[in-house]
Amino acid sequence: MTDTKIELLGSSLTELQALCAQEGLPKFAAKQICDWLYAKHVDSMDAMTNLSLKARARLEEIASIGRHDPINCMVSKDGTKKYLFEVASSTDGTQQYVETVFIPDGDRGTLCVSCQMGCKMGCRFCVTGQQGFHGNLSAADILNQIFSIPEFDRLTNIVYMGMGEPMDNLDNVLASIAVLTSDWGLGWSPHRITVSSVGIVPGLKRFLDESQCHVAVSLHNPYPAERLTIMPMQKAYPIAQVLALLKQYDWHGQRRISFEYTMFRGLNDDLKHAAELVRLLKGLFCRVNLIRFHSSPNTPYQTSSPKAMDQFCQYLNDHGIICTIRASRGEDIMAACGLLAGQNRQNN
């Protein structure tokens, strides 16, 4: 038996074929395992009944499914649910947790998943960023958030907008997306998936080249100096550099590029900022989502007024940029944008 078991969840068909060859299992067993993992959603080796007892016993020795239930669920007055998952310990040995948010909306069910324990990006207004960085989630950790909630069969969309920066854990993010979109996995259209980023240019370029998923870039301020005060990554990857990359791609097809713009009172919510945003995005077929800032401890920022948000939105639409104000969901359970902290509130 190996010291560390392989997590099967997140494995591709090719990886499972290699594992079967290594363990002396027939090649067709890999497709059977894929079917059990992704079509039938089993959580134990014993459930893989078309594999021999010997094969199941060997898999039990060297591997785990990688599935485990959330340890807590909080329910908002608006129906949003926030799940808490226990994940691998961080490098300093402390137990870590991540949060996942299910957002029901009529026939639509969106799941906001996390990809890291905390985050390195350090955005000043984000509760996750205040936690610091404690490690990457494996592909199994990411997918477990999807497969292990009761609402799995209700999901219509996945957004990688929870804890962490997807482009900073790109290998595992892409591996999880492969499971969601491949014919040996769930077979979803990539256009049911949106991945966010603050704009890490090398990772973003690779993602754009290797995926057809929608992309959402966290912009929040069109002026570089002002953006730097709230988003430290502006120094390493200026928004102008991010936009130069995005303008190399065709956004008139099914894949969509959007920009997330959190509104702060007196900081980025006047028509001067709206006009600069129009100038900045000129020539890029995109949309802008305005997000109400959700107040949190240890942040000096205030929420923009509804009037300021409406005027900002109207200005963008009047100047040819599709703009909407995103409905705020789950604020009462700290599940809204920027509020995920990955804290164990099991006894609350």
Side-chain angles (χ1 to χ4, degrees):
M1 182 183 295
T2 56
D3 292 333
T4 303
K5 288 189 173 184
I6 302 163
E7 292 177 309
L8 296 182
L9 191 67
S11 298
S12 67
L13 177 58
T14 299
E15 289 169 335
L16 290 172
Q17 287 171 340
L19 178 65
C20 288
Q22 174 186 305
E23 298 302 323
L25 303 179
K27 188 174 181 178
F28 63 79
K31 184 66 175 69
Q32 292 173 320
I33 296 170
C34 261
D35 187 56
W36 286 113
L37 289 174
Y38 304 133
K40 297 172 181 170
H41 316 145
V42 299
D43 57 8
S44 73
M45 303 298 181
D46 286 341
M48 300 182 182
T49 52
N50 60 354
L51 296 180
S52 69
L53 289 174
K54 182 179 179 181
R56 280 180 269 166
R58 181 55 184 158
L59 285 175
E60 191 72 53
E61 288 180 357
I62 65 169
S64 65
I65 296 294
R67 287 274 307 276
H68 53 90
D69 292 335
I71 63 172
N72 193 24
C73 175
M74 301 178 73
V75 183
S76 167
K77 60 187 178 184
D78 64 25
T80 298
K81 293 183 178 181
K82 182 171 71 170
Y83 290 100
L84 184 71
F85 287 92
E86 190 173 17
V87 292
S89 298
S90 65
T91 52
D92 64 7
T94 58
Q95 182 58 58
Q96 295 297 314
Y97 304 88
V98 296
E99 293 173 330
T100 306
V101 180
F102 173 69
I103 307 166
D105 185 13
D107 294 335
R108 185 182 176 96
T110 299
L111 191 68
C112 179
V113 300
S114 296
C115 65
Q116 291 182 315
M117 307 172 224
C119 186
K120 296 178 187 174
M121 301 301 107
C123 297
R124 310 298 186 206
F125 52 89
C126 179
V127 171
T128 305
Q130 295 174 15
Q131 309 303 310
F133 176 71
H134 303 286
N136 287 325
L137 298 189
S138 67
D141 288 328
I142 296 170
L143 290 167
N144 182 64
Q145 298 168 65
I146 299 167
F147 280 75
S148 295
I149 62 166
E151 295 82 8
F152 174 82
D153 290 331
R154 294 174 57 189
L155 296 179
T156 59
N157 299 83
I158 303 290
V159 295
Y160 287 68
M161 295 183 181
M163 299 172 63
E165 163 60 51
M167 304 306 155
D168 192 42
N169 186 20
L170 190 51
D171 286 341
N172 289 320
V173 166
L174 287 173
S176 66
I177 289 173
V179 169
L180 297 175
T181 58
S182 298
D183 55 5
W184 47 259
L186 297 189
W188 278 27
S189 164
H191 303 128
R192 294 170 65 177
I193 302 167
T194 302
V195 180
S196 69
S197 178
V198 299
I200 299 179
V201 171
L204 186 56
K205 183 180 190 312
R206 181 183 161 201
F207 182 81
L208 292 171
D209 291 339
E210 297 183 23
S211 168
Q212 284 298 309
C213 295
H214 298 316
V215 178
V217 173
S218 299
L219 202 159
H220 308 307
N221 200 305
Y223 291 106
E226 292 182 10
R227 188 171 187 260
L228 181 60
T229 65
I230 57 173
M231 300 180 70
M233 288 306 292
Q234 164 69 21
K235 184 175 183 179
Y237 300 109
I239 190 61
Q241 186 179 348
V242 177
L243 291 172
L245 171 67
L246 294 172
K247 289 178 181 181
Q248 297 174 22
Y249 294 81
D250 179 14
W251 299 100
H252 290 82
Q254 290 184 295
R255 181 164 66 171
R256 185 173 65 237
I257 177 69
S258 59
F259 293 91
E260 310 296 283
Y261 195 96
T262 300
M263 300 286 283
F264 304 104
R265 184 189 299 267
L267 182 64
N268 69 347
D269 62 349
D270 57 29
L271 295 187
K272 178 188 77 169
H273 286 83
E276 180 62 13
L277 190 57
V278 170
R279 188 196 69 78
L280 196 67
L281 299 181
K282 184 178 180 180
L284 188 60
F285 185 72
C286 63
R287 63 182 62 202
V288 172
N289 297 316
L290 301 184
I291 302 169
R292 184 169 64 83
F293 172 64
H294 304 100
S295 299
S296 58
N298 304 317
T299 57
Y301 310 110
Q302 296 181 324
T303 303
S304 294
S305 68
K307 180 179 179 181
M309 292 188 70
D310 287 339
Q311 289 178 337
F312 199 102
C313 182
Q314 189 63 51
Y315 185 95
L316 294 187
N317 281 307
D318 287 346
H319 288 79
I321 295 178
I322 300 170
C323 182
T324 57
I325 298 174
R326 179 181 292 169
S328 181
R329 300 289 300 271
E331 186 174 8
D332 57 318
I333 59 169
M334 293 286 284
C337 292
L339 296 182
L340 299 186
Q343 296 176 354
N344 187 356
R345 301 183 179 89
Q346 208 170 355
N347 299 319
N348 289 359

